[in-house]
Amino acid sequence: MNCTISGEIPEEPVVSTKSGLLFERRLIERHISDYGKCPVTGEPLSIDDIVPIKTGKIIKPKPLHTASIPGLLGTFQNEWDGLMLSNFALEQQLHTARQELSHALYQHDSACRVIARLKKERDEARQLLAEVERHIPAVPEAVITSAAMSNAAGAEEMGPGAKKLCPGISAEIITELTDCNAALSQKRKKRQISQTLASIDALERFTQLSSHPLHKTNKPGICSMDILHSKDVIATGGVDSTAVIFDRPSGQILSTLTGHSKKVTSVKFVGDTDLVLTASADKTVRIWRDSGAGNYACGYTLNDHSAEVRAVTVHATNKYFVSASLDSTWCFYDLSSGICLAKVSDDSEKVDYTAAAFHPDGLILGTGTSQAVVKIWDVKSQANVAKFDGHTGEITSISFSENGYFLATAAEDGVRLWDLRKLRNFKSFLSADANSVEFDPSGSYLGIAASDIRLYQTASVKAEWNLIKTLPDLSGTGKATCVKFGPDAQYVAVGSMDRNLRIFGLPGDEKADAEDDSAQDS
């Protein structure tokens, strides 16, 4: 008896209870699993419909054509012919695939050219629109005032070459800033260091915990960073013209903010609100609002600067912020309306602003310049009240300590510490191309980002500021661009000129031990 499918004597014969036909078990089971019917009659057939047959051991006879040398040669010839036919079919398929790939690449190249042309036309249209806006005829002041209330930039141009109108910082706002200053100053006197603040021993054991590729590979580089401590969320601004909102505990990207046409030079959270600020080399500042589920939409695009905007800093009230630009001005904005209340420049000398930060109490503004000068401003009068010389390169970053006395500035020649009470430099850290300097929120530690990342313990003017830990720049670029301390300095976030955000901290088991030690100490 032979198998109905193969025509050979079956090794495990089974018979169909419906048709009575004999099959090889493995062949009929595969056919039933593929088609669910009898291969001969076409009737529905299942595994339950086949019955095994018990037989003695079956010895298959060798085929006659393999019993002689001529038969074997014929078999080899047939297999060679089949191999050649299969190879020819594969070559035909390869040729077809190459043709399809060539056509797809041509379509992709054509699409890229069309996109480039459309972008060029868009940029030309924007330029023409900007020229038209600059040549709008003069209109009555009342109309301008009315328009300013709904204008994202907060001003209306008055004709060719005229400056935008700024209403100024009102007496009510100054009173609000003064009250905030008094409240924060009083609170600082009673300030106590958090018991959960990471210890010096913990910082000494910091190592890289994770690395997250947040930005594009074709334009790598993180230019700026900020951390929302209450939610442990990190925002980064990249060379790829985007800002990324990243949830550190889950390791997930919450949102990618797109809209700028050039690199994002500065990014800031507005307190615990749902607002985020971004500044860009495209001369604009954008205010983003969380519309729900981490989806941020641009509420205002502010065009008050005529050159690259290097920094934004938020006032302690979370109602106002300042932007600093290479056009030699800094602007004071109302967050709710996006109106520029004051646009300030120094008439005594022309400087290009590269960094900016509010003093913790909010009545003092610090700015860094490309001329290696640090300027201190009285926000109420917008007057330059102090100037620090000493750096030999562009100021890249400034940071006020929470104690209200110290100011740290980073530049191409390193980092300098300034005593705001005596207006003098009391300590310097020599480090080529220091790109970022940052006090932690408690004022206990200082971080410096340059060719590596260095963490210092803060001290008094006369005491030594001890180096706690030197973290390597693992990006391979030799340039760490920004450093920020996480909540209670439990980790350090570092951005570099690759596209990765790196988190340094204690491994899980060591972190638990450190928390137990901190609890025992308290």
Side-chain angles (χ1 to χ4, degrees):
M1 297 293 287
N2 296 333
C3 172
T4 307
I5 296 177
S6 65
E8 298 180 353
I9 298 175
E11 295 180 355
E12 295 183 66
V14 294
V15 65
S16 170
T17 58
K18 291 187 176 181
S19 63
L21 296 174
L22 183 71
F23 300 98
E24 173 72 56
R25 175 187 288 274
R26 60 183 176 80
L27 296 179
I28 189 62
E29 286 181 351
R30 182 182 301 174
H31 187 85
I32 291 175
S33 65
D34 291 341
Y35 303 102
K37 61 182 180 180
C38 178
V40 178
T41 63
E43 296 179 351
L45 190 65
S46 66
I47 299 297
D48 298 333
D49 295 329
I50 60 175
V51 179
I53 300 176
K54 294 183 179 179
T55 62
K57 185 177 181 180
I58 299 175
I59 301 176
K60 292 185 178 181
K62 292 185 178 179
L64 293 176
H65 64 272
T66 62
S68 64
I69 292 178
L72 289 173
L73 292 176
T75 300
F76 293 154
Q77 183 65 47
N78 291 335
E79 291 182 357
W80 174 261
D81 292 342
L83 180 62
M84 290 299 99
L85 290 173
S86 176
N87 185 59
F88 177 72
L90 289 175
E91 288 182 349
Q92 284 186 319
Q93 293 177 3
L94 177 61
H95 179 69
T96 302
R98 283 178 173 173
Q99 286 183 325
E100 293 176 352
L101 177 61
S102 176
H103 182 65
L105 291 174
Y106 174 76
Q107 288 183 326
H108 177 266
D109 185 58
S110 300
C112 290
R113 285 197 293 267
V114 170
I115 292 172
R117 178 176 58 81
L118 292 175
K119 285 185 175 180
K120 182 179 179 181
E121 292 178 355
R122 180 202 63 186
D123 294 339
E124 291 176 351
R126 285 179 175 176
Q127 184 177 0
L128 290 174
L129 179 61
E131 292 178 359
V132 170
E133 289 179 347
R134 283 198 296 268
H135 290 80
I136 294 177
V139 294
E141 183 178 353
V143 176
I144 294 175
T145 304
S146 175
M149 297 304 294
S150 59
N151 190 316
E156 188 74 22
E157 296 188 0
M158 291 294 292
K163 294 183 179 180
K164 292 184 178 180
L165 297 178
C166 297
I169 303 177
S170 67
E172 290 79 6
I173 295 177
I174 291 177
T175 300
E176 184 179 7
L177 301 183
T178 304
D179 293 343
C180 177
N181 171 268
L184 292 175
S185 298
Q186 187 66 26
K187 184 178 178 181
R188 178 172 294 104
K189 296 178 181 178
K190 303 177 182 179
R191 181 177 64 96
Q192 294 182 350
I193 302 298
S194 172
Q195 295 183 354
T196 58
L197 181 70
S199 64
I200 296 175
D201 178 64
L203 266 65
E204 289 176 343
R205 291 181 284 158
F206 272 15
T207 184
Q208 179 172 313
L209 300 180
S210 58
S211 177
H212 308 278
L214 303 185
H215 292 272
K216 298 177 182 177
T217 55
N218 59 339
K219 289 184 178 181
I222 295 177
C223 302
S224 56
M225 177 169 48
D226 195 24
I227 300 179
L228 180 57
H229 289 172
S230 61
K231 299 179 181 179
D232 206 357
V233 174
I234 303 174
T236 61
V239 178
D240 60 0
S241 308
T242 66
V244 175
I245 310 299
F246 174 76
D247 181 61
R248 190 199 64 83
S250 66
Q252 299 296 317
I253 295 178
L254 300 180
S255 184
T256 299
L257 314 185
T258 58
H260 287 294
S261 59
K262 294 183 179 180
K263 65 180 180 181
V264 178
T265 55
S266 183
V267 58
K268 288 289 181 184
F269 287 105
V270 182
D272 290 331
T273 67
D274 56 356
L275 299 177
V276 175
L277 304 177
T278 57
S280 171
D282 64 7
K283 308 176 187 178
T284 67
V285 175
R286 288 176 178 252
I287 303 177
W288 307 82
R289 183 181 295 276
D290 186 359
S291 56
N295 297 317
Y296 284 81
C298 180
Y300 295 104
T301 300
L302 313 177
N303 303 283
D304 295 280
H305 290 290
S306 58
E308 177 178 333
V309 185
R310 282 289 188 89
V312 286
T313 178
V314 181
H315 189 268
T317 58
N318 294 326
K319 295 181 179 180
Y320 311 99
F321 74 95
V322 161
S323 62
S325 169
L326 296 182
D327 66 0
S328 303
T329 67
W330 57 267
C331 294
F332 185 93
Y333 287 95
D334 174 62
L335 257 169
S336 61
S337 64
I339 294 177
C340 177
L341 301 178
K343 188 172 185 179
V344 183
S345 60
D346 192 344
D347 297 332
S348 62
E349 59 178 336
K350 185 180 184 300
V351 291
D352 302 325
Y353 297 108
T354 55
F358 272 111
H359 185 274
D361 293 342
L363 288 185
I364 295 176
L365 175 72
T367 56
T369 69
S370 57
Q371 288 75 23
V373 177
V374 179
K375 293 195 170 189
I376 306 299
W377 303 81
D378 176 13
V379 177
K380 294 188 295 183
S381 62
Q382 299 97 64
N384 180 209
V385 294
K387 182 170 69 173
F388 297 145
D389 298 308
H391 282 292
T392 58
E394 176 182 301
I395 309 298
T396 55
S397 174
I398 66 175
S399 177
F400 287 96
S401 172
E402 178 60 26
N403 66 15
Y405 303 144
F406 298 150
L407 170 66
T409 57
E412 296 174 1
D413 62 341
V415 171
R416 290 176 180 266
L417 300 176
W418 309 87
D419 185 350
L420 298 177
R421 295 165 295 185
K422 298 184 178 180
L423 302 179
R424 67 180 183 89
N425 170 225
F426 67 90
K427 191 169 186 61
S428 299
F429 301 104
L430 298 180
S431 177
D433 294 329
N435 300 305
S436 177
V437 62
E438 184 76 17
F439 284 101
D440 83 298
S442 71
S444 302
Y445 304 116
L446 177 73
I448 300 174
S451 57
D452 53 21
I453 302 93
R454 300 186 181 186
L455 307 180
Y456 289 87
Q457 178 188 11
T458 61
S460 63
V461 172
K462 297 182 179 180
E464 185 67 24
W465 291 50
N466 297 319
L467 176 62
I468 300 173
K469 180 74 172 180
T470 299
L471 303 171
D473 174 33
L474 300 177
S475 67
T477 63
K479 186 177 183 181
T481 55
C482 43
V483 58
K484 290 282 185 180
F485 288 92
D488 289 329
Q490 294 294 330
Y491 66 85
V492 172
V494 176
S496 302
M497 284 311 293
D498 65 348
R499 66 194 189 106
N500 293 305
L501 169 69
R502 289 178 170 82
I503 306 298
F504 293 85
L506 285 177
D509 53 349
E510 293 189 25
K511 183 177 181 182
D513 293 341
E515 290 176 350
D516 291 341
D517 294 342
S518 177
Q520 292 175 4
D521 294 340
S522 62

